Amino acid sequence: RVAGSGASIGITVSGFTQSVTADFAIEQFTDIVSGNRQLKIGVSNASATFSAGTLGLTLSGGSGAFLVTDAGIAGSAAVTTVMPTGLPSSITVNATNLKLEFNNTGADVAETEISTSLDPGSTTTIEFVGDYYHNYLAVRGSAEIIVGPAGSPFATLSGNVGFEKASENVTGSGAEDVFKVSVTDMSFGFEVSGVSVLSFTNGNGLFLIHDDGVAGDVELDFSSGLINLTGDLMLQFNTAASTTYNGTGSGINFDVPQSDGSTTTKNFAITESDFFRLCVQGGIQLGSFTNVGLEFEVERINPGGGDVLRFKTKTGDVLLDIDENGTITNQAGSLIQELFNEATPEKIIDLLRQ
């Protein structure tokens, strides 16, 4: 075994080279399957800057393990601190449990236990299974992403995220370095004056972080709150003031990893700027009253500087607004009538309690 401190190692994946500086503990061994010599590298005090163009995540306090074979290098390092750099002001990233992960061997990496230091009692395990992870570089784990202007964000989104570098023609004007962020098990809520009007869980989809802003396209499974939505739910947003993300006109195809290491292709097309919208193809239920089947949208808007959630039909007709004081206004008479047409005193009391 050999140990050293403050050394750097470079990892190249898909034309991107990632440098990691750390304290290393290196052990040589012979793989019993191939008969080839390999290196197990324990890592501590690791730091790296994970960047795509001017966008970056500065990682520090990392510990983990790397495996070096004839085919390349694979590894994982959990970090304690993540400092975003160069991100647009409309997004804030708070890391809770993130790892730098990579594999450029072009193959699966079987579960391998590696000592993280010369202390044999300190170990970690790495494993990469599935085609998507054969040529892979990402910062992955649990994080909270706050979308919108500081002090008045549109929403706080939390869940499992994977930041990956991508070079794509996202705006139609040529290839640019961006962050592609896959999200799973995402939850978020619409709040008005601290009251949770709508909350969601089990979100899965994609964010795109660009110099000008952040855009998202996420499918949702469940909602709860004062107003309950059912059916197919889709959250879309774009914080950029004027930039849209539609490639050369037909969207951008991204590979999104699945839990088994396979991928599904998602067409990412954001053709509007400066919006935050929930699209519903299903129904709306106010309190415990009858569900009304509708196709409609929910937008967060700010008329006159106020904070308003607007429910409207696909054709733009306003169904109702909920303002920053929690007051419901502009309601469509036909909708309210249908919601309340089976109301009983018990249901009305139940609604008021909510």
Side-chain angles (χ1 to χ4, degrees), residues 70-81:
D70 290 342
I73 182 170
S76 173
V79 298
T80 58
T81 304

Side-chain angles (χ1 to χ4, degrees), residues 6 37 57-58 65-66 77 82 90 133 145 159 177 181 232 246 267 271 275 279 288-289 295-297 308 322:
R37 291 185 177 181
L57 299 174
T58 300
F66 301 165
V82 177
S90 55
Y133 300 103
I145 298 178
D177 290 337
V181 185
D232 297 327
N246 194 31
N267 183 263
T271 58
F275 76 98
C279 303
S288 58
F289 297 159
E295 290 188 20
F296 65 98
E297 299 173 348
V308 174
I322 302 178

Side-chain angles (χ1 to χ4, degrees), residues 12-307:
T12 300
V13 177
S14 299
F16 295 109
T17 299
Q18 178 65 55
S19 178
V20 178
T21 300
D23 299 339
F24 296 105
I26 303 172
E27 176 185 3
Q28 187 181 75
F29 74 105
T30 300
D31 180 60
I32 60 174
V33 176
S34 65
N36 296 328
R37 291 185 177 181
Q38 299 180 356
L39 296 179
K40 293 180 177 180
I41 304 177
V43 177
S44 58
N45 298 320
S47 62
T49 298
F50 186 74
S51 60
T54 60
L55 309 172
L57 299 174
T58 300
L59 317 173
S60 59
S63 62
F66 301 165
L67 178 68
V68 181
T69 72
D70 290 342
I73 182 170
S76 173
V79 298
T80 58
T81 304
V82 177
M83 181 67 68
T85 58
L87 299 187
S89 59
S90 55
I91 181 172
T92 303
V93 178
N94 297 322
T96 55
N97 182 21
L98 289 179
K99 293 181 178 180
L100 173 65
E101 298 181 333
F102 55 87
N103 176 24
N104 67 2
T105 66
D108 286 356
V109 175
E111 183 176 335
T112 305
E113 186 177 86
I114 299 174
S115 296
T116 58
S117 67
L118 293 181
D119 177 6
S122 176
T123 64
T124 192
T125 300
I126 64 170
E127 181 181 26
F128 294 94
V129 177
D131 291 346
Y132 188 80
Y133 300 103
H134 289 177
N135 199 36
Y136 176 71
L137 173 64
V139 173
R140 192 170 191 84
S142 302
E144 178 184 78
I145 298 178
I146 302 172
V147 177
S152 182
F154 300 134
T156 298
L157 315 171
S158 59
N160 297 321
V161 301
F163 290 83
E164 296 184 55
K165 303 177 183 183
S167 181
E168 296 283 349
N169 184 4
V170 296
T171 64
S173 58
E176 300 176 80
D177 290 337
V178 297
F179 277 144
K180 176 185 74 172
V181 185
S182 57
V183 295
T184 58
D185 297 326
M186 190 199 76
S187 61
F188 86 100
F190 279 117
E191 291 190 0
V192 176
S193 297
V195 177
S196 178
V197 177
L198 293 168
S199 60
F200 301 88
T201 57
N202 301 324
N204 297 278
L206 199 66
F207 296 170
L208 181 71
I209 302 177
H210 180 265
D211 289 343
D212 291 339
V214 55
D217 190 348
V218 182
E219 296 177 1
L220 301 161
D221 289 338
F222 178 79
S223 75
S224 63
L226 176 61
I227 295 175
N228 186 50
L229 306 179
T230 61
D232 297 327
L233 312 179
M234 176 70 73
L235 172 69
Q236 292 186 324
F237 62 89
N238 182 8
T239 67
S242 59
T243 304
T244 58
Y245 306 101
N246 194 31
T248 57
S250 58
I252 312 136
N253 288 328
F254 285 116
D255 288 333
V256 180
Q258 305 301 295
S259 58
D260 61 358
S262 65
T263 62
T264 184
T265 300
K266 182 174 182 63
N267 183 263
F268 189 88
I270 301 296
T271 58
E272 299 176 64
S273 58
D274 194 20
F275 76 98
F276 196 93
R277 181 181 304 129
L278 179 70
C279 303
V280 180
Q281 184 175 355
I284 181 172
Q285 183 170 338
L286 184 60
S288 58
F289 297 159
T290 304
N291 192 313
V292 178
L294 287 172
E295 290 188 20
F296 65 98
E297 299 173 348
V298 185
E299 281 190 306
R300 189 157 186 170
I301 60 176
N302 298 88
D307 189 9

Side-chain angles (χ1 to χ4, degrees), residues 312-318:
K312 64 181 184 179
T313 66
K314 296 287 187 179
T315 57
D317 296 329
V318 176

